[in-house]
Amino acid sequence: MALERVSKILKMADEANTSVIAFNCINYDMAYSAIAVAEQLQKPVLIMLYPEHNYAFNNADIKGFAEMVKALAAKVKIPIGLHLDHSSDFNYIMRAVKDGFTSVMFDGSMMPLEENIRLSRKIVEVARNFDVDVEAELGHVGFAKESDEENLDMYTKPDVAAEFCEATGVSSVAVAIGSAHGVYLEAPKLDLLRLNEINEATDVPLVLHGGSGIPNDQLEIAFTKGINKFNVGTEYFQLYYDSMHEYIETHKEERNVNLLFEMSKYVQGKLKDYLREKMKLSKF
Ligand SMILES: [Zn+2]
């Protein structure tokens, strides 16, 4: 089927009292594997592109990426969503919208609250004309390597979240409750009490970033307390890298170009094994 609205998939997740998993992908192997496993398990999935990878490394053409995910989604029967991850650049977001992204994240979490509200609302107003959903971030989800100490000031406050959602009209909001991007130095402890309060104070689906390395028991609780979108990047990238490394190491004595053509199939197999396990958390 055609791409599904991310807001609709998050609504389905909310009704099922669970979360859809959103995987950061850079290419066909990663997007195809996630969609193939989703179809196998009959669960929706979201494919995300992280703009900074494109700024810095030209990993994917943004329009080409959107077209690729659309073509993959057209071949399956389960709902597939396409989402642009963190960007605070209005022009980049608008380009992504024009190029076919049906959901975008505006990250104003490092800005003063008033500015975050003003710009999030502006993006929502424009995106609405294109039937595009907008995720914002409130509080700040930092980087795991920097946040070994809890910084409660950065955590999302329930009353502010309510005010923010009301004032901006966003379709979903990423909350800071103790997760972080990257590799954790020690297992994080989500502030589930705070999550519960945010969930009671707001009506919009909540998003959990920094999903690589959070213990499953905490995730299972978080998914029943308002987290309807769960972002996984680091873990999936690491596995992709490790699988390629392993393949090359295994064949390092050979110099045969056919090995190049066979690599995708090998890597996709590894990714699918991981995805089948990971997506068990998503209880549709
Ligand atoms: Zn994030």
Side-chain angles (χ1 to χ4, degrees):
M1 53 195 264
L3 282 178
E4 186 55 273
R5 286 284 294 258
V6 169
S7 54
K8 192 164 171 206
I9 296 176
L10 298 196
K11 191 162 184 280
M12 288 167 62
D14 184 43
E15 281 162 8
N17 211 21
T18 189
S19 178
V20 64
I21 308 186
F23 292 98
N24 272 119
C25 300
I26 59 169
N27 63 13
Y28 178 82
D29 284 336
M30 298 187 86
Y32 159 78
S33 301
I35 291 171
V37 169
E39 175 77 344
Q40 229 172 49
L41 302 180
Q42 291 290 295
K43 295 177 184 193
V45 74
L46 306 182
I47 305 298
M48 299 192 293
L49 184 70
Y50 186 62
E52 259 184 55
H53 293 153
N54 282 351
Y55 287 146
F57 310 113
N58 194 27
N59 276 328
D61 170 70
I62 191 155
K63 185 167 189 174
F65 188 89
E67 291 296 330
M68 173 184 74
V69 175
K70 265 187 229 171
L72 286 167
K75 288 188 199 160
V76 298
K77 293 194 174 61
I78 38 118
I80 306 294
L82 171 65
H83 177 77
L84 185 78
D85 207 2
H86 296 270
S87 179
S88 50
D89 178 341
F90 181 84
N91 293 329
Y92 190 91
I93 290 177
M94 284 307 123
R95 201 187 117 201
V97 167
K98 253 179 62 195
D99 282 351
F101 275 74
T102 55
S103 175
V104 295
M105 177 185 191
F106 170 72
D107 181 356
S109 63
M110 289 304 275
M111 298 168 184
L113 178 64
E114 291 311 313
E115 190 70 351
N116 191 0
I117 290 177
R118 190 180 69 81
L119 289 172
S120 297
R121 184 168 52 205
K122 185 176 159 195
I123 303 265
V124 169
E125 278 165 7
V126 181
R128 196 176 281 149
N129 298 321
F130 297 88
D131 288 331
V132 165
D133 300 313
V134 179
E135 174 182 333
E137 180 167 322
L138 185 61
H140 181 65
V141 181
F143 291 92
K145 62 179 185 321
E146 291 158 10
S147 53
D148 46 338
E149 282 171 57
E150 280 180 28
N151 189 348
L152 291 176
D153 271 359
M154 294 292 201
Y155 280 25
T156 308
K157 295 172 183 66
D159 54 332
V160 181
E163 180 199 334
F164 182 87
C165 293
E166 178 74 32
T168 58
V170 292
S171 335
S172 62
V173 65
V175 292
I177 54 165
S179 65
H181 298 105
V183 178
Y184 292 101
L185 301 174
E186 53 186 277
K189 200 165 175 301
L190 299 180
D191 188 342
L192 295 167
L193 206 65
R194 181 184 298 260
L195 174 62
N196 201 30
E197 286 168 13
I198 300 169
N199 190 30
E200 305 222 308
T202 61
D203 283 330
V204 307
L206 307 176
V207 183
L208 188 64
H209 284 235
S212 305
I214 301 174
N216 284 353
D217 56 338
Q218 291 185 43
L219 291 176
E220 274 166 15
I221 300 172
F223 291 1
T224 62
K225 293 190 184 299
I227 297 296
N228 299 130
K229 174 172 174 277
F230 173 57
N231 285 18
V232 176
T234 303
E235 207 172 79
Y236 198 39
F237 289 135
Q238 186 69 50
L239 176 68
Y240 185 64
Y241 175 80
D242 288 347
S243 309
M244 284 201 290
H245 188 260
E246 193 177 275
Y247 182 81
I248 290 167
E249 275 294 300
T250 310
H251 299 285
K252 71 177 174 199
E253 304 304 330
E254 305 161 56
R255 278 284 189 278
N256 177 352
V257 72
N258 285 330
L259 288 168
L260 173 67
F261 308 130
E262 290 161 21
M263 183 154 72
S264 278
K265 192 127 205 194
Y266 177 84
V267 170
Q268 288 168 11
K270 294 282 177 181
L271 295 180
K272 286 179 181 175
D273 289 345
Y274 158 83
L275 289 157
R276 267 189 289 271
E277 200 52 39
K278 195 75 185 175
M279 285 186 68
K280 280 185 190 161
L281 283 167
S282 189
K283 298 193 193 312
F284 280 94

